[in-house]
Amino acid sequence: MKYLYFPNGDRFPQIGLGTFQSKKNEVYDAVITALTAGYRHIDCAYVYGNEKQIGEALKYAFANNIVRRDELFITSKLWNSFHAPEMVEQAIRHSLNDLQLDYLDLYLMHWAIAFRTGCDYANSPADLVPLPEMPYQTTWAAMEKLREKGLTKHIGVSNFSIKKLTNLQQSATIAPEVNQIEIHPYFQQNKLSDFCNDNNILLTAYSPLGSRHLINSDNDIQHNATIAQIAEKHACSATQVILAWGITRGWAVIPKSIHQERIIENFAAVDVLLDDEDINAISLIDKNLRQSVASYAIMPGGYYTYNNIFDEES
């Protein structure tokens, strides 16, 4: 295993199991498979709807000496419907109860997007709360209290731009420690990555292999000629090259899979050692191809737009 490190010395495993869109009847076995294979980082979220099943898997793993709690790094995320300050602690306690844990290692604000309290999914503009009415800085102040209470060891954000990170840093008592964002060879986010590195914010790359929507399309990264050449050079799979690229760049990567063979294959990426020539070659295939566009929050008459979510033109 390779690690990143927080300022206090806590370890952040560079490869973890993503659980987004893992079905309730599949995620239990996926987590057990991952922990048995050597994973020590599991990425979760309230909105994924499968934290109870993950909690059962963790309970089994602890009871059967597959892993100890202090060996694990567990992340969960504050969903948009819990941004009101009085709801933040309730949200993390809900996740802790489902995961059957006393504390999280990392708790992230999932998006700088606010929904009406009690509304997990926005069906109309009335379900959206504009940021001027519910600033993420206010939500963050409540996140800081979670760390003070020992409910999570570290706090951070997800899907935050340079502009939003800068705004948050100006008001925060505890600076965000992690930013989880979409990164893969077709969407490399170099400016944001450099900013986080310069500001001691660790990065987690979600969709590190590209979105499932890219598979078998002209934008399927795993069939890119450059990736294939590097895979042949290192006698490994294209998937392992892509994950090794993220690890070499100094990020944590959280590929999602429910299949035993793929989970094990992904984990072996930590042993693939790319050189500068490989990294430079991959840098040339960037397409600025964002796949996660928060379409669930963008609707006619609503506050949120692609531009004010990502602070870039669509």
Side-chain angles (χ1 to χ4, degrees):
M1 178 61 73
K2 294 180 180 178
Y3 298 93
L4 303 175
Y5 291 88
F6 290 95
N8 71 347
D10 285 351
R11 300 191 304 184
F12 188 21
Q14 277 195 269
I15 189 163
L17 180 72
T19 61
F20 174 58
Q21 293 185 332
S22 291
K23 296 178 181 178
K24 293 179 180 180
N25 64 335
E26 298 171 331
V27 73
Y28 178 95
D29 287 341
V31 170
I32 297 298
T33 296
L35 296 177
T36 302
Y39 286 76
R40 293 298 179 260
H41 176 182
I42 308 294
D43 183 82
C44 316
Y46 164 83
V47 78
Y48 299 167
N50 54 17
E51 288 191 327
K52 283 188 177 181
Q53 291 72 30
I54 295 170
E56 286 297 321
L58 295 176
K59 178 182 178 181
Y60 175 88
F62 298 151
N64 289 276
N65 299 315
I66 296 173
V67 66
R68 300 192 312 271
R69 173 65 184 98
D70 62 359
E71 296 175 314
L72 283 184
F73 193 98
I74 307 294
T75 299
S76 189
K77 307 178 190 76
L78 178 81
W79 185 236
N80 306 340
S81 52
F82 296 98
H83 277 217
E86 65 272 15
M87 298 300 297
V88 173
E89 183 174 334
Q90 178 179 320
I92 193 173
R93 288 190 181 278
H94 186 285
S95 286
L96 287 170
N97 183 66
D98 282 354
L99 293 167
Q100 302 188 49
L101 299 174
D102 296 325
Y103 67 91
L104 294 173
D105 296 278
L106 176 63
Y107 198 51
L108 304 175
M109 191 188 308
H110 208 151
W111 291 86
I113 294 171
F115 289 173
R116 179 171 48 84
T117 296
C119 175
D120 282 352
Y121 300 97
N123 297 308
S124 73
D127 296 328
L128 306 172
V129 180
L131 288 182
E133 296 179 22
M134 184 63 68
Y136 49 82
Q137 294 93 331
T138 301
T139 304
W140 182 257
M143 294 271 290
E144 293 178 336
K145 294 178 182 178
L146 304 180
R147 205 180 82 165
E148 295 169 3
K149 292 184 176 182
L151 297 172
T152 182
K153 290 187 174 183
H154 302 278
I155 53 175
V157 295
S158 182
N159 300 295
F160 267 53
S161 64
I162 292 174
K163 178 180 178 180
K164 289 182 173 64
L165 288 169
T166 301
N167 290 341
L168 191 54
Q169 287 175 319
Q170 291 172 350
S171 64
T173 300
I174 301 173
E177 299 174 272
V178 174
N179 190 17
Q180 183 177 128
I181 57 176
E182 179 185 355
I183 313 181
H184 48 75
Y186 282 175
F187 189 57
Q188 299 188 19
Q189 299 235 61
N190 291 314
K191 289 183 180 179
L192 181 51
S193 175
D194 289 344
F195 177 88
C196 290
N197 185 60
D198 292 343
N199 286 269
N200 298 312
I201 300 171
L202 299 178
L203 272 178
T204 301
Y206 72 75
S207 296
L209 300 172
S211 167
R212 60 188 176 88
H213 301 296
L214 301 181
I215 296 174
N216 298 322
S217 74
D218 292 338
N219 291 315
D220 186 345
I221 305 168
Q222 296 178 53
H223 288 92
N224 177 273
T226 296
I227 298 296
Q229 291 170 1
I230 296 172
E232 183 177 4
K233 171 182 172 181
H234 292 279
C236 67
S237 70
T239 296
Q240 289 169 338
V241 167
I242 297 167
L243 296 175
W245 170 76
I247 292 168
T248 303
R249 291 291 307 271
W251 311 320
V253 296
I254 48 170
K256 174 257 178 179
S257 182
I258 57 169
H259 303 292
Q260 181 178 7
E261 297 80 5
R262 180 55 64 86
I263 290 171
I264 294 170
E265 177 187 343
N266 289 345
F267 188 71
V270 297
D271 297 322
V272 177
L273 302 177
L274 302 184
D275 56 34
D276 290 343
E277 180 182 17
D278 302 326
I279 299 300
N280 291 335
I282 294 174
S283 73
L284 300 177
I285 68 173
D286 191 3
K287 295 186 177 185
N288 195 33
L289 184 63
R290 185 192 296 277
Q291 290 293 296
S292 181
V293 296
S295 58
Y296 69 88
I298 300 172
M299 59 189 68
Y303 169 81
Y304 294 99
T305 65
Y306 182 93
N307 186 45
N308 68 21
I309 292 172
F310 297 105
D311 300 305
E312 61 185 60
E313 296 298 332
S314 60

